Amino acid sequence: MGSVYRAVDLVTSRTVAVKLLRTSLSQDPVAISRLQREAEVVKSISHPQVSQIFDILQEPDGSPVIVMELLHGRDLGQTVEEDGRMHPAEVAALGVVLSDALQYLAGQGVVRLDLKPNNVIMAARGPVIVDLGIAVRPDAGAARLYARPNRVI
């Protein structure tokens, strides 16, 4: 849905990640709404295992731009693909950390609908959930969302 770039915040001088909509989606109201919702949801979240958003900006054409922390590491999918199966104890520890983050999100009224290996960065501080594009607050219409066949939410 979007592309992520490394950048430097000229005000704070810190290195950040900047997420933009793909050009093909920059005029799509549904894509714009989804990216804006992701930014608004995550901006209010503060947990070490959930990526932090610093700012939400807008391109001249109205497309949202998300400025977020830059994470170093491979995603969980890459990790398993490159390193092979994880030891059961590693999987259990990963499950504990991620379930804590998901429980925190739920406590903030955020339901994460499609957590997958590519949405978990194996950072130095541990696994970090990124891309909350399909995360909703139940009062924002979650009851209207349905899973595709053969999918678990």
Side-chain angles (χ1 to χ4, degrees):
M1 176 170 194
S3 299
V4 179
Y5 301 93
R6 174 194 290 244
V8 175
D9 183 321
L10 298 176
V11 175
T12 64
S13 298
R14 72 177 153 206
T15 304
V16 296
V18 176
K19 185 173 185 177
L20 307 170
L21 279 175
R22 289 189 191 117
T23 305
S24 62
L25 297 174
S26 65
Q27 298 304 312
D28 179 346
V30 173
I32 290 171
S33 173
R34 181 176 170 199
L35 191 63
Q36 287 172 328
R37 183 180 69 235
E38 173 187 354
E40 291 300 327
V41 165
V42 178
K43 195 169 183 182
S44 65
I45 300 299
S46 178
H47 189 281
Q49 269 50 66
V50 178
S51 63
Q52 184 180 3
I53 295 221
F54 300 128
D55 207 352
I56 306 164
L57 308 171
Q58 203 167 34
E59 296 256 36
D61 68 358
S63 299
V65 176
I66 301 176
V67 181
M68 62 184 106
E69 71 175 306
L70 178 66
L71 295 167
H72 298 282
R74 300 177 292 175
D75 69 46
L76 180 57
Q78 290 172 316
T79 300
V80 171
E81 185 177 307
E82 294 170 7
D83 298 349
R85 288 184 177 182
M86 296 174 75
H87 187 277
E90 289 177 294
V91 175
L94 179 65
V96 167
V97 172
L98 292 177
S99 67
D100 179 62
L102 293 170
Q103 185 174 6
Y104 169 81
L105 288 171
Q108 300 299 305
V110 176
V111 179
R112 180 65 170 95
L113 298 177
D114 74 331
L115 186 61
K116 55 191 173 210
N118 294 3
N119 292 340
V120 176
I121 301 296
M122 303 301 283
R125 68 176 188 244
V128 179
I129 298 172
V130 299
D131 190 6
L132 292 180
I134 304 183
V136 296
R137 296 188 186 274
D139 60 354
R144 293 189 302 260
L145 297 174
Y146 300 95
R148 293 190 313 245
N150 301 320
R151 300 282 185 206
V152 176
I153 311 182

